[in-house]
C-alpha cells in the first residue's frame, strides 16, 4: 500500500472517530469530504453530501449570507470565525433548525484551498441554559412573592377578623349576607396568598397517603356546582386505585384550577371529563416522551372540548404569570402551581391540545407501596415478528414526535417513510407504491388533517391500512372517526401498544 493511500485511510479513520461533525469544502463551497458524525447530526447520508453545496446544512437566512462571508474572508483575511469559532444554526434533513458551534480552518493542498468546519451540537447545552434561566426566573418570582404574600396575609387577617366582629354586632339578614360575602371573598384571598407562598416554596407541604378517587369525587362535586348547566361534567373512575403520596387539599385545588381553565376555554358550553387509571411506563420511549422515570403511576386526566391551545401556548402554559386571559381575569399562577405541586409529589404533568378540538391535561403520580397487577391482554409484549417487510408512512407535524415514532417503528422492524403534513403525505402516497400502512396524527395544520387524509386513503388506496393517533380522550375521538371503523391509538402510548396496534392492522385480513 502506498504511503499516500495509507495516509488517506488513516485520515478518514481519524475523522470518523471524532464525535463532532467535520465537513471539508472547497472555495466554491462544495463539500469534498465528511465524517460519520455528520450523518448523525444532520440526518443526511454523508456519502450523498459529497459534491453538494455546504449551504444544504444551513437555514436559508444563513445560507444566503454564507458565500459573502467566505468571499469577505478571502479578500480581507479577517478571521471572524477562523480559528475561533462562533455559535450558528444548522439545518437537519427534516427541515428543523438547531444550535451549533462552528470552528472553521483553512488549508492548502495540491494547489487548492479547502475549508474544514468542525461542528458541535449545542442542543443539549441550549436546553440546559433555558431550563436554568426558567429556574432563575422562578426563584426570583419566589423571592418577590414571598414578601408580597406575607404582607397580604397580615392585611387579610385584619380584614377577616374585623368582618367576624362586625357580623356578630350587626343586625338584619341583608346586612349579615353582605358581611358574609365579604368575609368569604377575603377568605378566598387568604387561600390564594397561601398558594402563592407554597409556590414560592416558603411553606411546608405535608404529603400523606391519598385516595385519588375520593379526592377527585370531592373536586368533581365542587366543579359541578361551579359550572353553568350547559357544561357537561363526567367522572370516569378506575376501582380500585393504588394509594399515592400527595396533599389531598392541593390535589383538589389542582383539579379545580385545571377545570376553571377548561371552563374559560368552553364559553358556549362543552364537556369536561375527569378520568383516573393506573398506567405502567415500562419502556424508554414513553418515559422519554413524558419526561418521567419508568414505573407504575396513577394518572388523572382532565379533558375538555374547548378551543384548544397552539404549540406556543402549550410550551408556556406552566410558566408563572403566563395567561391568555384579559387583564383582571386571571393571575397566571393556576397551572404553574399545579405543575409545582405534582413535581413535588415526584410526578409529572403532561399537556396535549389541538386548536378547535380541546385539551387534555394529565397528572402522573408515582404509586405508594407495592406495584398493582396490570391486566395484560394477549400478545401485549412487543412482538418482533409483527414487521414482515411492511412499509409504514408516519404523518406527524411535530418534528420531535415524528423522529421518536420513526425510531420506534424501525426498532420494530418496519420500513419507515416520513411526512410532516397531510398534504405532503398525499404526494408521497402518489409517488410510492410500496406503502402498506399510514400512521397519522389526527389533527394537523394545512388543508388536510389526519381525518381528511384517512378518508382520502380509503377512497383512493383501499389496500393501505390506517392507524390514527391523538392525545385526546377516546370517547370524544370516536365522534371524529369516519364510518370506516378506523383504529385510534391514544397518546402517549407504550412501545408494546404500538406494536400490537400495527400487528392488529396487518392480521385483520
Amino acid at each position: 500500500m502506498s504511503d499516500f493511500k495509507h495516509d488517506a485511510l488513516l485520515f478518514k479513520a481519524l475523522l470518523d472517530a471524532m464525535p463532532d461533525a467535520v465537513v471539508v469544502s472547497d472555495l466554491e463551497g462544495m463539500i469534498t469530504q465528511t465524517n460519520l458524525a455528520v450523518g448523525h447530526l444532520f440526518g443526511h447520508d454523508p456519502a450523498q453530501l459529497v459534491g453538494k453545496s455546504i449551504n444544504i446544512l444551513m437555514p436559508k437566512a444563513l445560507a444566503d449570507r454564507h458565500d459573502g462571508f467566505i468571499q469577505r474572508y478571502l479578500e480581507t483575511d479577517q478571521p471572524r470565525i477562523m480559528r475561533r469559532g462562533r455559535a450558528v444554526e444548522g439545518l437537519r434533513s427534516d427541515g428543523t433548525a438547531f444550535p451549533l458551534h462552528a470552528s472553521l480552518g483553512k488549508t492548502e493542498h495540491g494547489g487548492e484551498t479547502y475549508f474544514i468546519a468542525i461542528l458541535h451540537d449545542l442542543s443539549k447545552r441550549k436546553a440546559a441554559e433555558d431550563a436554568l434561566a426558567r429556574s432563575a426566573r422562578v426563584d426570583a418570582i419566589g423571592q418577590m412573592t414571598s414578601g408580597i404574600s406575607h404582607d397580604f396575609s397580615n392585611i387579610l387577617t385584619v380584614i377577616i377578623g374585623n368582618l367576624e366582629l362586625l357580623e356578630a354586632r350587626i343586625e338584619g339578614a341583608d346586612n349579615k349576607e353582605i358581611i358574609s360575602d365579604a368575609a368569604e371573598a377575603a377568605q378566598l384571598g387568604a387561600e390564594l396568598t397561601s398558594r402563592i407562598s407554597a409556590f414560592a416554596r416558603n411553606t411546608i407541604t405535608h404529603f400523606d397517603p391519598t385516595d385519588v378517587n375520593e379526592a377527585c369525587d370531592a373536586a368533581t362535586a365542587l366543579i359541578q356546582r361551579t359550572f353553568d348547566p350547559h357544561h357537561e361534567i363526567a367522572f370516569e373512575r378506575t376501582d380500585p386505585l393504588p394509594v399515592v403520596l400527595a396533599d389531598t387539599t392541593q390535589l383538589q385545588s389542582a383539579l379545580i384550577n385545571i377545570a376553571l381553565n377548561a371552563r374559560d376555554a368552553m364559553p358556549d358550553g362543552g364537556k369536561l371529563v375527569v378520568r383516573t387509571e393506573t398506567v405502567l411506563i415500562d419502556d424508554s420511549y414513553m418515559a422519554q416522551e413524558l419526561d418521567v422515570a419508568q414505573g407504575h403511576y396513577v394518572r388523572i386526566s382532565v379533558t375538555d372540548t374547548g378551543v384548544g391551545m397552539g404549540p406556543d401556548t402549550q410550551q408556556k402554559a406552566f410558566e408563572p404569570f403566563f395567561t391568555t386571559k384579559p387583564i383582571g381575569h386571571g393571575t397566571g399562577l393556576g397551572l404553574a402551581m399545579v405543575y409545582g405541586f405534582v413535581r413535588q409529589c415526584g410526578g409529572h404533568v403532561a399537556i396535549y391540545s389541538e386548536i378547535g378540538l380541546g385539551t387534555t391535561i394529565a397528572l402522573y403520580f408515582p404509586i405508594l407501596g407495592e406495584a398493582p397487577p396490570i391486566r395484560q391482554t394477549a400478545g401485549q409484549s412487543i412482538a418482533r415478528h409483527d414487521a414482515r417487510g411492511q412499509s409504514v408512512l408516519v404523518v406527524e407535524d411535530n418534528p420531535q414526535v415524528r423522529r421518536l415514532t420513526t425510531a420506534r417503528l424501525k426498532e420494530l422492524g418496519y420500513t419507515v417513510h416520513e411526512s410532516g403534513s397531510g398534504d405532503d403525505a398525499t404526494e408521497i402516497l402518489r409517488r410510492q407504491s410500496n406503502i402498506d400502512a399510514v400512521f397519522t396524527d389526527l389533527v394537523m395544520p394545512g388543508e388536510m388533517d389526519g381525518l381528511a387524509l384517512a378518508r382520502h386513503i380509503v377512497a383512493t388506496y383501499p389496500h393501505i391500512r390506517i392507524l390514527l393517533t391523538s392525545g385526546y380522550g377516546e370517547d370524544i375521538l370516536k365522534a371524529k372517526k369516519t364510518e370506516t371503523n378506523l383504529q385510534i391509538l391514544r397518546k402517549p402510548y407504550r412501545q408494546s401498544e404500538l406494536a400490537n396496534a400495527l400487528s392488529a392492522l396487518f392480521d385483520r385480513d
Side-chain angles (χ1 to χ4, degrees), residues 34 44 74 134 187 202 205 260 286 319-320 342 356 384-385 388 394 412 423:
T34 66
H44 293 281
L74 293 174
R134 286 195 298 270
Q187 187 62 45
N202 282 316
T205 301
L260 291 177
M286 191 171 181
E319 288 189 4
V342 178
R384 298 284 177 178
H385 65 270
R388 297 185 293 271
V394 175
L412 290 171
D423 302 316

Side-chain angles (χ1 to χ4, degrees), residues 185-254:
Q187 187 62 45
L188 287 173
E191 291 174 4
L192 175 61
T193 303
S194 175
R195 291 200 296 271
I196 292 174
S197 297
F199 175 74
R201 291 184 175 88
N202 282 316
T203 60
I204 299 175
T205 301
H206 298 282
F207 298 111
D208 298 303
T210 300
D211 185 326
V212 170
N213 278 335
E214 187 177 299
C216 290
D217 260 331
T220 305
L222 182 58
I223 291 168
Q224 286 176 327
R225 291 196 298 270
T226 306
F227 278 40
D228 296 329
H230 60 286
H231 290 103
E232 181 184 350
I233 313 297
F235 176 35
E236 300 176 1
R237 56 187 290 163
T238 298
D239 285 307
L241 274 183
V243 173
V244 303
L245 202 61
D247 181 284
T248 302
T249 301
Q250 287 202 52
L251 174 56
Q252 293 174 348
S253 176

